[in-house]
Amino acid sequence: MEIAERSRARVQERLARLEQEFGSTPVDQTTFSVGAEAYQRAVERSREGQVDVHAFVHNESGDVLLRDADGSWEVPQGQTQGAERPATAVERVVSETAGVACTIRDAVRATICGVRNETDSDAETVYRLSIVFDAEIKSGALEDSDAETAEETEASIRWDDPGEVAVAELV
């Protein structure tokens, strides 16, 4: 089986599992070209069955959690590891990157990404899956951490109104 067929089959399998867990989720598809190095990473991540995950984590006021990612603010995001479920990966990623605990409410959107190698037109398209989840912060999640960790967390996260530009780009 070729790369395109295998990666498409993995994506379809993950989408079926997502539907079993969360019901019908809107699915988009996009295709883009990347350099040889990024293309090779996409191939490797596809072979490993990794799914990209993003989290819209809301606080009690409805604001959305953003984390500092080398000077730009973004929603927590990462990849599944091994056989990890995407929803479990989101909880792990939010904890690791933003220092808070969350509970998944729903899968908001899934995007099938066709990744092409811009330097090799003969290379097959590899397909990857990206899922956006809606979550809420566990009550007391920020207060439960020790003082030093809480200060570090507060310096690396912020809460934005869901209508603001930083949040709207993924919706």
Side-chain angles (χ1 to χ4, degrees):
M1 205 183 270
E2 301 298 322
I3 291 173
E5 290 176 35
R6 281 194 312 257
S7 62
R8 189 184 320 248
R10 282 189 185 99
V11 165
Q12 292 304 319
E13 178 183 299
R14 288 291 194 151
L15 282 172
R17 283 193 229 155
L18 184 68
E19 186 170 348
Q20 287 175 344
E21 190 170 355
F22 292 98
S24 181
T25 302
V27 179
D28 300 324
Q29 187 161 351
T30 187
T31 303
F32 51 88
S33 296
V34 297
E37 193 173 306
Y39 174 80
Q40 190 56 43
R41 274 194 311 273
V43 169
E44 290 167 15
R45 288 178 175 166
S46 174
R47 280 188 187 126
E48 295 169 5
Q50 287 185 336
V51 174
D52 297 320
V53 294
H54 309 266
F56 284 105
V57 181
H58 300 270
N59 63 12
E60 299 81 22
S61 303
D63 296 329
V64 175
L65 173 71
L66 297 176
R67 69 177 189 91
D68 183 9
D70 295 327
S72 65
W73 294 94
E74 61 184 31
V75 298
Q77 56 190 324
Q79 290 86 30
T80 57
Q81 296 177 349
E84 184 178 45
R85 291 177 27 250
T88 303
V90 165
E91 292 170 343
R92 175 185 49 77
V93 166
V94 169
S95 177
E96 289 175 359
T97 64
V100 298
C102 71
T103 302
I104 303 302
R105 296 193 292 206
D106 200 6
V108 176
R109 186 183 76 231
T111 302
I112 301 169
C113 303
V115 183
R116 293 186 179 143
N117 186 336
E118 68 185 8
T119 59
D120 181 358
S121 60
D122 293 331
E124 289 185 78
T125 301
V126 62
Y127 294 93
R128 304 257 304 127
L129 183 61
S130 178
I131 305 171
V132 178
F133 288 91
D134 184 51
E136 62 188 1
I137 190 168
K138 287 187 179 176
S139 63
L142 288 175
E143 293 83 18
D144 290 345
S145 55
D146 64 49
E148 187 177 316
T149 304
E151 285 179 24
E152 291 173 14
T153 297
E154 289 176 16
S156 64
I157 67 170
R158 74 176 198 208
W159 296 92
D160 261 12
D161 182 284
E164 294 295 321
V165 175
V167 172
E169 67 186 46
L170 274 174
V171 176

